[in-house]
Amino acid sequence: MARIGILGRRGLSRLAGLRSVPGIEIGAFYDPETAAQDEARRQGLETFARSEAEAIESSDGVVVGTPMHLHADQVIRVLQAGRHVDSEVTAAVSLEECLRIAEAARSAPTGYFFAENYVYFPENLIVEALVRQGRFGSLTYGGADYVHDVRGLAVRADGTRTWRADWQYAALGNTYITHELGPLMTWFRAADPDIRIESVACQGNGAHAGAGLTDHDSTTTLIRLTGGPLLVIRLDLSSPRPHRATFEVQGRTGCYDSREPGIWMGEDIYAYHADFHRGWHPVRDHLDAVPSGLRAEIAEAEGAGHHGSDWFTGRRFGQMVLGERPAEIGLFEAMEWTVAGLLTARSLAAGGAPVSMEDWVYDLPRGGR
Ligand SMILES: NC(=O)c1ccc[n+]([C@@H]2O[C@H](COP(=O)([O-])OP(=O)(O)OC[C@H]3O[C@@H](n4cnc5c(N)ncnc54)[C@H](O)[C@@H]3O)[C@@H](O)[C@H]2O)c1
């Protein structure tokens, strides 16, 4: 039996997944806002801590679902209290914070789980399974877009600023890269466990949103992997348009493109001037590539937040705390993906020049995927 405490409203997204794990009990919730406490009550929580320390003290593991700039210090306090921790994305807002988290997590006897939920989109899990089976051949290119106009969450109607204005819209570069980089690196590493990020380069299109939001509306990041593959990632949190999150991966014998019907395996080799839609299949047609246990979990997660992925992060954290699984997405992945995002600011400051990846990341213990 293990008890999980929750810091911050976003941590409530883990409830369904945590409740799916026999032996997990939901412990105390701490969020200073009354609206968040009311939401927790609606979701069946009964125990409310009066402070962060009280929530940590009464738990075996703690979900940190607070604003980004609080993650590092809170995660470190949880680890130093000898509890397991689940961190929301991104792991931290500076390289210095990343180094401190890595040091605390390495010396802690407890586990660090990084809740990068986009890895657990059903489509992304199916693509990962196909990559593991070698169905795309060697991977050469990956792309992802995260376009989400959340200006309204950064500046309130009365003009006051929230944490997002200061941390997501003011720190230059791709300040929210893990949703895209997480699935892409998971696929490339499924094909080649030793692959690394070599360099990060970033360009932006200027800040047009006004209201004191000083980061570029749109950034494009080029990530060079060892051996040559290229990742291209767009982040746009400011342009007035509907939300879009897309993924693609290209291999030598096939590809996945979420903007198309899904998977193309080259069965109609060379579609030039032919029917451009020939050979595409919905990615769900390949569900049987996923191991049966995981397939059953995908079915159970159906309907949960973010295409079921929130259920997975709660479940995997609960299983890690009970010792049933290693952290599937752990310290190494959290640091690799977060650090790459932070390096985009350094590249922008250098006029878009590629900057080398921080090597220390590659000494960290890998997650258990
Ligand atoms: N993985 C995803 O799909 C996803 C989706 C949304 C948000 N997020 C992440 O979740 C985090 C929170 O984002 P949000 O949209 O919920 O923000 P929000 O501003 O809506 O809510 C933040 C909550 O944290 C609470 N809080 C502030 N300080 C606290 C403290 N010291 N201890 C406990 N609670 C505290 C606030 O009272 C508030 O209720 C961010 O890191 C964001 O990047 C991830």
Side-chain angles (χ1 to χ4, degrees):
M1 197 68 160
R3 186 175 298 147
I4 305 298
I6 297 175
L7 304 178
R9 176 204 311 253
R10 168 73 193 150
L12 299 173
S13 67
R14 315 288 199 280
L15 284 175
L18 286 166
R19 285 172 174 148
S20 78
V21 183
I24 288 292
E25 185 184 307
I26 307 301
F29 176 68
Y30 175 66
D31 186 313
E33 271 184 24
T34 312
Q37 295 160 18
D38 291 345
E39 176 59 32
R41 257 181 222 104
R42 278 194 293 277
Q43 298 207 33
L45 264 69
E46 289 163 359
T47 313
F48 293 84
R50 280 159 303 182
S51 66
E52 172 194 307
E54 199 179 291
I56 296 173
E57 187 58 35
S58 59
S59 307
D60 302 295
V62 177
V63 176
V64 174
T66 56
M68 280 158 70
H69 63 291
L70 303 180
H71 295 173
D73 285 342
Q74 290 184 315
V75 158
I76 290 168
R77 285 195 287 273
V78 172
L79 290 167
Q80 288 178 344
R83 271 62 176 177
H84 300 278
V85 73
D86 161 339
S87 171
E88 248 310 329
V89 306
T90 61
V93 298
S94 73
L95 288 171
E96 177 270 335
E97 284 186 351
C98 286
L99 282 161
R100 286 199 288 118
I101 292 171
E103 191 186 331
R106 288 191 86 158
S107 49
T110 45
Y112 175 105
F113 177 75
F114 188 51
E116 186 27 80
N117 49 334
Y118 280 41
V119 170
Y120 295 105
F121 278 16
E123 288 74 12
N124 292 350
L125 290 169
I126 294 168
V127 171
E128 182 185 349
L130 291 168
V131 169
R132 283 191 198 285
Q133 293 174 1
R135 300 282 295 281
F136 298 113
S138 61
L139 303 186
T140 54
Y141 177 88
D145 282 6
Y146 186 88
V147 182
H148 198 181
D149 179 6
V150 289
R151 286 171 296 165
L153 301 180
V155 181
R156 299 183 189 92
D158 64 5
T160 55
R161 293 160 70 88
T162 73
W163 65 270
R164 286 183 188 270
D166 295 324
W167 296 102
Q168 281 200 290
Y169 283 91
L172 275 189
N174 188 325
T175 54
Y176 205 49
I177 205 168
T178 65
H179 283 341
E180 303 79 57
L181 188 55
L184 293 175
M185 286 310 298
T186 301
W187 297 337
F188 275 81
R189 197 151 277 131
D192 174 3
D194 297 324
I195 203 158
R196 292 175 170 217
I197 293 173
E198 215 167 65
S199 64
V200 176
C202 183
Q203 295 266 8
N205 69 342
H208 306 283
L213 304 178
T214 52
D215 200 355
H216 297 270
D217 285 15
S218 209
T219 57
T220 297
T221 300
L222 292 180
I223 295 187
R224 174 73 65 194
L225 304 182
T226 47
L230 190 63
L231 308 183
V232 180
I233 296 173
R234 175 181 174 204
L235 176 73
D236 189 322
L237 301 175
S238 300
S239 294
R241 53 150 294 154
H243 172 64
R244 181 175 98 178
T246 64
F247 292 94
E248 68 175 305
V249 66
Q250 181 67 53
R252 289 302 305 154
T253 59
C255 68
Y256 166 60
D257 189 334
S258 66
R259 292 164 299 187
E260 297 286 349
I263 303 281
W264 194 84
M265 289 292 191
E267 47 259 76
D268 288 312
I269 304 290
Y270 202 45
Y272 183 71
H273 276 176
D275 171 4
F276 288 116
H277 297 293
R278 204 171 60 183
W280 286 103
H281 299 285
V283 65
R284 293 265 186 168
D285 284 3
H286 294 274
L287 187 59
D288 60 2
V290 173
S292 59
L294 187 54
R295 225 181 306 150
E297 290 184 308
I298 289 173
E300 204 177 334
E302 188 100 36
H306 292 93
H307 307 278
S309 64
D310 289 344
W311 181 90
F312 269 100
T313 51
R315 183 170 171 89
R316 290 292 182 266
F317 180 53
Q319 291 169 326
M320 183 196 85
V321 170
L322 290 174
E324 293 172 1
R325 280 180 190 258
E328 266 196 357
I329 308 177
L331 179 66
F332 162 69
E333 290 78 11
M335 294 299 114
E336 185 186 51
W337 305 344
T338 300
V339 165
L342 292 166
L343 290 178
T344 61
R346 204 178 274 179
S347 171
L348 277 166
V355 296
S356 297
M357 183 60 178
E358 298 275 305
D359 279 341
W360 60 267
V361 164
Y362 294 99
D363 296 332
L364 298 173
R366 304 284 173 112
R369 282 190 86 67

